[in-house]
């Protein structure tokens, strides 16, 4: 169970991973290069050639890439646990759809995305150990001389 500080580092690291991995999906021009590279990797792993993308497909790839980049920038700037929890849910959803696509296509390339997505999701679902701060000790109350002398005199 990571501490809050360690958990914030996990959130920041997952955001950096997203930033690096998703940047090529942010523009039609960078996506064309990424698609060609992904096609080579998939074929190198024994899969079929990836289908050609039409401008409509590229639009959705770039929309996704743009949103993930903004989400990653937010988590880099402010890696709060709440954002990590939401990111963990998003990764569960992404993993689910990637597994669906893997089942439908058999594209081995998808394993290169499924495994890290699931790992980042699980890491961000872990319970967080709160930071233990020393409890503030209240100083002992000063002895009330009047009170103890009145108690002694009444006895």
């Amino acid at each position: 169970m990571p501490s809050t500080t360690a958990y914030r580092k996990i959130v920041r690291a997952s955001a950096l991973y997203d930033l690096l991995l998703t940047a090529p999906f942010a523009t039609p021009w960078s996506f064309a290069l990424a698609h060609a590279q992904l096609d080579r990797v998939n074929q190198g792993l024994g899969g079929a050639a990836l289908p050609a993308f039409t401008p409509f497909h590229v639009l959705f790839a770039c929309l996704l890439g743009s949103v993930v980049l903004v989400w990653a920038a937010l988590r880099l700037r402010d890696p709060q646990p709440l954002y990590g929890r939401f990111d963990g849910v998003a990764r569960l959803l992404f993993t689910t759809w990637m597994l669906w696509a893997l089942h439908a296509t058999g594209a081995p390339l998808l394993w290169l995305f499924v495994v890290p997505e699931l790992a980042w999701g699980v890491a961000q679902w872990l319970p967080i150990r709160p930071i233990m701060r020393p409890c503030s000790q209240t100083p002992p109350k000063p002895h009330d001389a009047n009170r103890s002398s009145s108690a002694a005199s009444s006895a």
Side-chain angles (χ1 to χ4, degrees), residues 89-104:
V89 171
R91 289 180 189 281
L92 171 64
L93 292 169
F94 276 42
T95 301
T96 300
W97 308 136
M98 287 182 207
L99 288 171
W100 172 82
L102 179 64
H103 177 18

Side-chain angles (χ1 to χ4, degrees), residues 70-148:
V70 171
W71 175 238
L74 174 68
R75 289 177 295 127
L76 277 172
R77 188 172 194 286
D78 185 13
Q80 60 180 276
L82 178 64
Y83 295 162
R85 296 298 191 213
F86 275 96
D87 193 59
V89 171
R91 289 180 189 281
L92 171 64
L93 292 169
F94 276 42
T95 301
T96 300
W97 308 136
M98 287 182 207
L99 288 171
W100 172 82
L102 179 64
H103 177 18
T105 67
L109 168 72
L110 290 170
W111 284 112
L112 301 177
F113 293 91
V114 167
V115 172
E117 274 310 302
L118 188 58
W120 284 119
V122 168
Q124 292 181 108
W125 297 331
L126 293 173
I128 303 170
R129 181 172 30 99
I131 296 175
M132 300 303 288
R133 290 183 167 59
C135 50
S136 61
Q137 295 180 351
T138 55
K141 294 182 180 177
H143 185 61
D144 186 354
N146 294 335
R147 184 182 224 170
S148 57

